[in-house]
């Protein structure tokens, strides 16, 4: 007996507009491959079909993904130089050591840029993402030698025909190696299916 039951509800009609079954919200390939999938793959199909039922076509609502970012002093200095942030807290070791922070700190643009880039990197593996709006709240200084764990969570997604993609909202945060939150973020992006090249 299979541990993961088929979501088929005997409404087996492929919708030409969406490419999904009107009953179970699976693609024809997902339906055909179902019996050969292991339980983990079946659960992944179920998560995708539940998102499609809520209006998404490309992304999975509830999905989470993470990355880490190490910040040695040279990285802080070079990034601040690259974005023309001349605050000595990002460049001058002596000045920064005498400050309230006790060491170099990263320009706020550095973890912000990495958080934004995570979205492009993650979704471009299977789709074409495009950023629309970002919100950032810096809650704690990021010091030299910190290692950040950055996480995004897809909170909602709806297919928008005018955009030819899912309009996706996300919430994110970055925490340092001590578990302290250094940044909270929000984003609205559009994630479009990759164009097929003939």
């Amino acid at each position: 007996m299979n541990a993961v039951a088929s979501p088929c509800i005997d409404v087996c009609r492929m919708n030409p507009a969406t490419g999904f079954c009107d009953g179970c919200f699976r693609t024809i390939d997902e339906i055909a491959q179902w019996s050969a999938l292991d339980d983990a793959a079946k659960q992944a199909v179920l998560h995708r079909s539940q998102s499609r039922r809520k209006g998404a076509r490309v992304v999975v609502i509830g999905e989470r993904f993470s990355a880490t970012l190490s910040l040695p002093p040279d990285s802080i200095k070079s990034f601040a130089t690259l974005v023309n942030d001349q605050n000595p807290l990002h460049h001058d070791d002596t000045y920064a050591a005498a400050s309230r922070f006790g060491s170099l700190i990263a320009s706020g643009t550095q973890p912000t840029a990495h958080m934004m880039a995570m979205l492009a990197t993650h979704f471009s593996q299977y789709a074409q993402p495009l950023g629309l709006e970002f919100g950032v709240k810096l809650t704690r200084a990021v010091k030299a030698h910190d290692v950040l764990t950055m996480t995004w969570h897809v909170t909602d997604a709806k297919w928008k025909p005018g955009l030819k993609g899912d309009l996706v909202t996300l919430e994110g945060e970055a925490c340092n190696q001590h578990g302290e939150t250094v940044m909270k973020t929000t984003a609205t992006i559009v994630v479009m299916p990759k164009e097929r090249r003939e």
Side-chain angles (χ1 to χ4, degrees):
M1 180 174 165
N2 291 332
V4 180
S6 168
C8 180
I9 57 171
D10 293 327
V11 178
C12 302
R13 181 177 57 246
M14 296 308 293
N15 187 316
T18 66
F20 309 136
C21 171
D22 284 335
C24 66
F25 287 85
R26 291 178 293 173
T27 65
I28 193 71
D29 288 341
E30 289 168 344
I31 293 168
Q33 296 166 0
W34 182 263
S35 61
L37 299 177
D38 62 21
D39 286 350
K42 288 178 179 178
Q43 287 290 356
V45 170
L46 291 179
H47 288 309
R48 288 195 296 272
S49 65
Q50 288 164 2
S51 287
R52 294 165 185 159
R53 192 177 297 277
K54 294 176 182 176
R57 287 193 194 175
V58 185
V59 305
V60 177
I61 298 168
E63 178 182 8
R64 293 178 183 271
F65 50 98
S66 300
T68 57
L69 173 64
S70 297
L71 290 157
D74 287 349
S75 168
I76 289 172
K77 292 175 183 180
S78 62
F79 188 93
T81 298
L82 182 66
V83 297
N84 200 29
D85 185 338
Q86 298 303 316
N87 186 335
L89 287 170
H90 314 317
H91 300 276
D92 187 327
D93 294 281
T94 303
Y95 179 92
S99 75
R100 61 184 283 193
F101 304 106
S103 71
L104 289 174
I105 62 170
S107 168
T109 56
Q110 189 168 9
T112 299
H114 282 275
M115 284 291 289
M116 293 170 70
M118 272 181 70
L119 296 177
T121 298
H122 176 77
F123 289 111
S124 65
Q125 294 175 72
Y126 64 88
Q128 179 59 65
L130 181 64
L132 299 177
E133 183 177 319
F134 297 90
V136 177
K137 181 178 181 181
L138 304 173
T139 58
R140 180 179 290 271
V142 175
K143 297 182 178 184
H145 304 292
D146 275 358
V147 178
L148 304 185
T149 299
M150 306 176 297
T151 305
W152 282 105
H153 171 221
V154 177
T155 57
D156 196 21
K158 292 272 191 299
W159 177 260
K160 296 293 182 181
L163 296 174
K164 297 181 181 176
D166 283 346
L167 187 64
V168 183
T169 57
L170 304 99
E171 293 179 355
E173 70 172 6
C175 298
N176 63 22
Q177 67 275 17
H178 306 295
E180 300 163 328
T181 301
V182 300
M183 179 170 55
K184 290 184 174 290
T185 54
T186 59
T188 302
I189 65 174
V190 59
V191 180
M192 301 162 281
K194 275 190 175 174
E195 294 181 6
R196 292 182 180 170
R197 295 181 180 175
E198 300 298 328

